[in-house]
Amino acid sequence: MSTYLWVAIAVVVVVVVGLIVWSLVKRREPAEAVPAVLETVAPVAPPPAAETEPEAEAPTAEEAPAEAPALETPEQPASRMVRLRRRLASSRNGLARALGDLLAADKLDAATWDAFETTLLSADLGVGPTTELVDGLRAKLGVEGTSDPVVARQALHDDLLALVDPTLDRSLNLAHAAGVPAVVMMVGVNGTGKTTTVGKLGRLLVAEGQTVLFGAADTFRAAAAQQLTTWGERVGVETVSGAEGADPASVAYQAVERGVKDGVDVVLVDTAGRLHTKVGLMDELGKVKRVIEKLAPVTEVLLVVDATTGQNGLAQARIFAEVVDVTGLVLTKLDGSAKGGIVVAVQRELNVPVKLVGLGEGVDDLAPFDPEQFVQGLLGE
Ligand code: GDP
């Protein structure tokens, strides 16, 4: 009996020891695999400071992050304005509200027209365009007439579209000879969204298949060059920048020079927008433009206007338009504006078409301006 017991114990011991040995062997296999994976990862991590090669290795380390992130595919231009239309339709935009109230009125009496006129003015449409719109609609719909909603809506749509003016050429002039890039200068007061717009426009052009280079000539604001570099890296656009406080014209020149060398289609040049004195501004922007034009013609000067700044923004825009030949307007922050009439006002005021609109802080929130989509958005269509 005790012999059987001893045999049983021996068998159990052998089995247990066998299991322990087997599990240890099994565990070693993955344990060996781990260092293999780590080894392939390890060299990518920054080496300890003591082992870093002196100066010579530094540029390689700096270039590495530019290659690392996968390039993004920007949204195609066509769908962007559709997004704006939806955004306008869903917002309580002052202009949209005025139009909605008029359409909802049972009777178009004097009080309704007065209220309509007041709301249009407070939506930054400007006195001239407001008078034109009210007079035109009164003539069409009748002073005391009851509005047939379909007729009223169509009349509003047509008159508003006429004010925004669908006949203006809103395309960006990016024509360029072989080996010479088109150059776009972005100008405007600081804070209006210039740098952001350069970044967004770069993406828009990349989406259209153009090769682009950024020139960070806003050397006044320390963060502007880094901001642009970050925008560019996401879509494979390089940025030429100078030291903080460097001469903006020299950075612009270097950027265009590089653009010629690399054979890019478009160089987008950001500028500083200090409104110190009109003469100072004129000197600075004039110099940037003159210097660029030693290498390539400036095909577009885009003035960035913040839609939320109303009359003040218009006054500042006027100063810029006096010192440089503005060829197109970019109206930013239309998403944050409770108004919207500014599109018509600024265009009238400066006699330059709105070519692009900023619809938000997102990377693809910049759209080629489309009057029809804009009006449809305002009318909630
Ligand atoms: P800059 O000084 O003219 O270069 O202005 P920035 O490009 O630095 O922009 C100033 C601020 O405006 C930033 O916070 C941007 O994100 C914001 N911004 C620019 N465009 C738009 C836009 O279309 N909509 C909104 N909501 N914000 C914008």
Side-chain angles (χ1 to χ4, degrees), residues 190-196 200 221 227 333 335 358-361:
N190 282 342
T192 50
K194 258 179 298 100
T195 307
T196 313
K200 289 177 181 171
R221 191 162 63 87
Q227 205 178 322
K333 312 187 195 180
D335 55 301
L359 336 162
E361 296 195 74

Side-chain angles (χ1 to χ4, degrees), residues 111-137:
T112 311
W113 286 113
D114 272 358
F116 181 54
E117 189 165 358
T118 309
T119 322
L120 290 181
L121 286 172
S122 63
D124 279 341
L125 191 64
V127 178
T130 296
T131 312
E132 267 174 52
L133 190 62
V134 172
D135 290 353
L137 284 172

